[in-house]
Amino acid sequence: MRPSWDEYFMSIVELVKTRSTCLRRQVGALIVKDKRILASGYNGAPVGCKHCAEVGCLREELGVPSGQRHEICRATHAEQNAIAQAAYSGTCVKDSVMYVTAQPCVLCAKLAINAGISKIIFKGDYPDRLAMELLQEAGIRVLKYEGP
């Protein structure tokens, strides 16, 4: 059977996340507008920097729980990378949809709001209530993908 658009884009974002270099969680993001892919991203070290697989994970070494102390992580989140990729190529993401394999954190939520993303469809949970509150306050539609 032919997949729905949500199934189609979510299956692509599952493939995108396999490029992740994070040792704790692989996340993928895809930005789509009018059923066309604008940009993709996965979590990993910034361009030209060593990956966690090479130097280790400071958050893991310090026992930092998921959802805390983002500032000591060397990785850029998948959503941030997708938005940055769009900006790098001069692609406007206003009024687009973001597909993500995990609920965005507060940092990614704020970036998505300011980038003009109008809808987020995510798959997995993430412990960040403030992110969801800000997205709701900003009027961004947020849906949890439950699959076919």
Side-chain angles (χ1 to χ4, degrees):
M1 277 182 86
R2 192 172 186 204
S4 70
W5 285 108
D6 285 347
E7 291 168 349
Y8 174 72
F9 291 126
M10 198 53 82
S11 68
I12 293 171
V13 84
E14 284 291 334
L15 180 61
V16 170
K17 84 175 189 179
T18 65
R19 291 283 306 153
S20 170
T21 58
C22 179
L23 300 175
R24 292 174 63 149
R25 179 190 301 239
Q26 290 186 319
V27 179
L30 198 64
I31 301 174
V32 175
K33 186 171 183 177
D34 299 325
K35 299 181 180 125
R36 288 172 176 78
I37 297 170
L38 302 179
S40 65
Y42 52 85
N43 54 331
V47 175
C49 297
K50 291 181 180 177
H51 298 290
C52 301
E54 298 174 83
V55 298
C57 175
L58 182 58
R59 291 175 72 234
E60 190 68 29
E61 290 170 21
L62 297 175
V64 177
S66 182
Q68 297 179 17
R69 303 288 317 269
H70 299 287
E71 75 279 3
I72 64 170
C73 179
R74 58 185 305 110
T76 304
H77 288 186
E79 303 94 320
Q80 296 166 352
N81 275 327
I83 292 169
Q85 183 188 72
Y88 189 84
S89 66
T91 302
C92 178
V93 298
K94 186 176 187 294
D95 299 323
S96 64
V97 178
M98 180 180 278
Y99 289 85
V100 192
T101 57
Q103 176 201 310
C105 72
V106 69
L107 301 175
C108 293
K110 291 187 285 187
L111 194 57
I113 291 166
N114 284 350
I117 291 168
S118 61
K119 182 178 178 182
I120 297 175
I121 300 172
F122 71 94
K123 196 170 186 178
D125 292 321
Y126 192 74
D128 199 327
R129 199 173 79 230
L130 180 57
M132 297 302 272
E133 290 172 9
L134 287 174
L135 290 166
Q136 181 180 14
E137 183 179 337
I140 295 179
R141 293 179 52 210
V142 180
L143 303 169
K144 184 168 184 185
Y145 178 78
E146 299 295 343

